[in-house]
Amino acid sequence: MEVAEKGTWTVKKGLAEMLKGGVIMDVTTPEQAKIAEEAGACAVMALERVPADIRAAGGVARMADPTVILRIMDAVTIPVMAKVRIGHFVEAQILEQLGVDYIDESEVLTPADEQHHIDKHKFKVPFVCGARNLGEALRRIAEGAAMIRTKGEPGTGNVVEAVRHMRMMMAEIRRVQNMPREELMALAKEMGAPYELLLQVAEQGRLPVVNFAAGGIATPADAALMMQLGADGIFVGSGIFKSQNPAARARAIVAATTHYNDPQVLAEVSKDLGEAMPGLEIATIAPEQRMQDRGW
Amino acid sequence: MLIGVLALQGAFREHQEMLSALGVESRQVRKPEQLEGIDGLIIPGGESTTIGKLLQDYNLFEPVRQKALQGMPVFGTCAGLILLAREILGSAQPRLGLMDMVVERNAFGRQVESFEVDLDVPVLGEKPLRAVFIRAPYIVSVGPGVEVLARYGDKIVLARQGRFLACAFHPELTDDTRLHRLFLEQC
């Protein structure tokens, strides 16, 4: 029998390809994980607190207790992701040991390193990282991220930052595509992006990995907006379990992500969902409290 | 020829790219009316629970089943294989049940156990097929009408029943078009 190769780039990137067109939901208990799975989530993110509560609690936010993660892994058959602090490669070693399916090196937690991200190539488990623009996305991919998501502004229920980041990324991709090749080196330097990856973007007209939207998505319309702007899929953090009727809202966001181009379906699923999570105006957040500025 | 690719969730884009590389037109299928006029249907990889739920919510189950029973060829990869199976071990999740086989989900383990390997597929010729298994299922057993086309070790990973073809891995993630061509011969 031929030798099987595990943890290859194809396999890491491939799982993200399978999540496309789907919704990944933040959950804090096995019960919530089951509600998410029942509603059609394509994966869950296991956390101790959703971003809105992390924001409210303040202090240092760290990787969740392994017990919380393991209980959620036991509760569902869909992939389970979990977060580590930026640069905290030992938290990542622990999550890999637990057998989580994807690691989110996330700005939602308090960074452990203010200069360096994790060398994600060293791991068999794939990583997803946040980015606000093309340069940041390509730096993360060069470090080994097999999936990218916008950062948005987590825990706010305000989609404006995710829109800003997705528009920025798409505009930069279009710009790169239309550039004469000799100008790409100067742009790579300006963006702080690896040249080889930038060349790939120019040739393919998209990121070399799957690109999801995250940070502030609270309604089916928000999800469809991000999909129409070019997202490959959706992360919903606080938006579901901080709303009045999580099961109905989760189901509606799943439908809106699949049928994002179909206003008839969007109108139907947006009805009678109860109150969305309370939103936060970005201007009221002190600059040092903005999670999106974490990461380098 | 026009091939439908079920586009509720998962790797439908990759299947479309592969079809387009073979010079075959494709259409994304999200609603029953989009099944009209297609010569075959591909059910891609993704999360089988998610795809099953959306098939139900948007009334696609019966139309797909009926068309398949009337002769429409169907090719299921990974989650698609699960949805084609008659029985899913330990799960009551919705399925099309078009192929007489019992499957097990996530049968090789979690993502860290996902792998790629060169697979012998006699029906495709001597050159092995690079097979990418991602949280993959496998076929535990098949009924008399089902042809086993490939095994990995003792596990069945590719099978055919008449016009239905199912594999546990992801041919759409490689450049090898042979399995898609095998399917298109039926269409």
Side-chain angles (χ1 to χ4, degrees):
Chain A
M1 197 158 90
E2 291 293 329
V3 185
E5 290 180 68
K6 294 181 186 174
T8 62
W9 181 242
T10 306
V11 160
K12 288 172 162 183
K13 200 179 124 177
L15 179 55
E17 307 281 2
M18 297 312 139
L19 300 173
K20 281 200 310 254
V23 183
I24 300 166
M25 302 182 190
D26 277 7
V27 298
T28 58
T29 64
E31 294 71 35
Q32 289 185 354
K34 282 197 177 119
I35 292 172
E37 186 176 46
E38 263 303 297
C42 66
V44 291
M45 178 77 69
L47 292 164
E48 257 174 26
R49 291 178 187 155
V50 294
D53 290 336
I54 289 174
R55 192 176 281 288
V60 174
R62 311 177 180 92
M63 175 188 82
D65 185 320
T67 312
V68 172
I69 297 167
L70 288 170
R71 286 175 61 216
I72 289 169
M73 285 166 61
D74 279 343
V76 292
T77 60
I78 55 179
V80 176
M81 302 184 166
K83 288 185 196 292
V84 299
R85 286 178 265 178
I86 289 171
H88 206 315
F89 52 85
V90 174
E91 286 186 346
Q93 291 164 6
I94 292 170
L95 290 188
E96 182 173 60
Q97 182 62 37
L98 296 179
V100 303
D101 296 297
Y102 238 94
I103 294 178
D104 184 3
E105 186 183 19
S106 176
E107 67 282 3
V108 168
L109 305 183
T110 310
D113 190 322
E114 295 198 329
Q115 273 184 310
H116 308 291
H117 284 250
I118 296 170
D119 174 11
K120 295 167 271 287
H121 288 297
K122 273 194 187 156
F123 292 80
K124 275 205 171 102
V125 59
F127 281 73
V128 54
C129 286
R132 288 165 303 177
N133 53 51
L134 185 57
E136 196 173 10
L138 296 181
R139 287 196 294 281
R140 297 294 84 81
I141 295 167
E143 293 159 359
M147 180 180 185
I148 292 292
R149 54 170 175 75
T150 61
K151 287 179 166 176
E153 189 55 38
T156 60
N158 188 342
V159 79
V160 66
E161 296 300 303
V163 168
R164 188 194 315 281
H165 300 160
M166 188 57 75
R167 279 209 184 271
M168 171 64 81
M169 200 124 41
M170 292 301 165
E172 287 175 323
I173 290 172
R174 286 191 295 270
R175 182 176 163 216
V176 165
Q177 258 185 299
N178 292 316
M179 243 177 176
R181 193 166 160 156
E182 68 271 18
E183 293 180 10
L184 286 176
M185 184 58 86
L187 184 69
K189 187 178 163 194
E190 180 195 315
M191 282 183 167
Y195 176 72
E196 292 301 325
L197 288 176
L198 198 62
L199 206 56
Q200 259 187 56
V201 172
E203 278 160 9
Q204 295 172 357
R206 62 173 181 239
L207 284 185
V209 303
V210 165
N211 183 21
F212 270 48
I217 294 156
T219 68
D222 288 349
L225 172 67
M226 297 312 301
M227 293 297 289
Q228 288 195 27
L229 286 173
D232 289 319
I234 302 291
F235 279 92
V236 189
S238 320
I240 288 170
F241 290 99
K242 284 282 157 190
S243 76
Q244 200 180 20
N245 187 346
R249 185 164 294 267
R251 214 179 166 94
I253 292 178
V254 168
T257 302
T258 291
H259 298 282
Y260 67 93
N261 257 333
D262 190 333
Q264 194 196 335
V265 173
L266 297 177
E268 195 52 44
V269 302
S270 297
K271 288 178 189 160
D272 300 324
L273 295 179
E275 283 287 313
M277 72 176 283
L280 206 56
E281 176 58 54
I282 306 297
T284 63
I285 305 170
E288 66 276 12
Q289 306 288 327
R290 279 159 52 112
M291 291 172 172
Q292 60 176 284
D293 297 330
R294 300 164 165 177
W296 353 104
Chain B
M1 193 191 297
L2 178 65
I3 301 296
V5 182
L6 192 68
L8 296 171
Q9 192 268 319
F12 48 88
R13 183 173 76 200
E14 285 70 15
H15 278 291
Q16 287 191 287
E17 285 170 357
M18 191 143 252
L19 291 169
S20 139
L22 290 167
V24 173
E25 257 191 89
S26 65
R27 173 201 290 163
Q28 297 185 0
V29 175
R30 291 188 175 82
K31 291 186 150 183
E33 56 269 26
Q34 291 161 336
L35 290 167
E36 290 313 313
I38 58 172
D39 301 298
L41 180 70
I42 294 180
I43 307 180
E47 268 310 308
S48 63
T49 49
T50 305
I51 298 174
K53 193 141 298 259
L54 288 160
L55 274 169
Q56 237 169 10
D57 289 356
Y58 289 86
N59 305 318
L60 270 160
F61 253 112
E62 270 317 298
V64 170
R65 261 180 63 82
Q66 286 315 319
K67 280 203 71 119
L69 292 173
Q70 286 159 20
M72 174 178 71
V74 183
F75 179 20
T77 60
C78 194
L81 169 143
I82 295 168
L83 287 158
L84 282 172
R86 174 175 58 77
E87 190 183 335
I88 305 164
L89 282 187
S91 168
Q93 71 190 79
R95 86 260 349 231
L96 292 160
L98 292 165
M99 288 177 72
D100 186 10
M101 58 187 187
V102 181
V103 302
E104 182 169 357
R105 287 184 61 201
N106 302 333
F108 295 93
R110 305 196 71 98
Q111 173 61 13
V112 285
E113 303 299 328
S114 293
F115 62 98
E116 47 181 305
V117 73
D118 285 331
L119 197 68
D120 280 323
V121 186
V123 72
L124 296 180
E126 259 183 41
K127 191 179 151 221
L129 186 77
R130 192 67 179 168
V132 183
F133 291 82
I134 296 175
R135 288 175 47 97
Y138 68 78
I139 303 167
V140 179
S141 64
V142 295
V146 181
E147 229 182 317
V148 173
L149 298 183
R151 293 175 196 265
Y152 173 62
D154 55 357
K155 298 178 168 72
I156 304 169
V157 294
L158 174 63
R160 178 166 63 184
Q161 181 176 1
R163 289 167 171 242
F164 307 138
L165 183 67
C167 63
F169 49 90
H170 294 284
E172 76 281 9
L173 294 185
T174 68
D175 297 329
D176 197 326
T177 56
R178 284 179 294 166
L179 206 48
H180 282 76
R181 278 186 279 158
L182 182 73
F183 171 63
L184 293 172
E185 282 171 17
Q186 304 284 322
C187 299

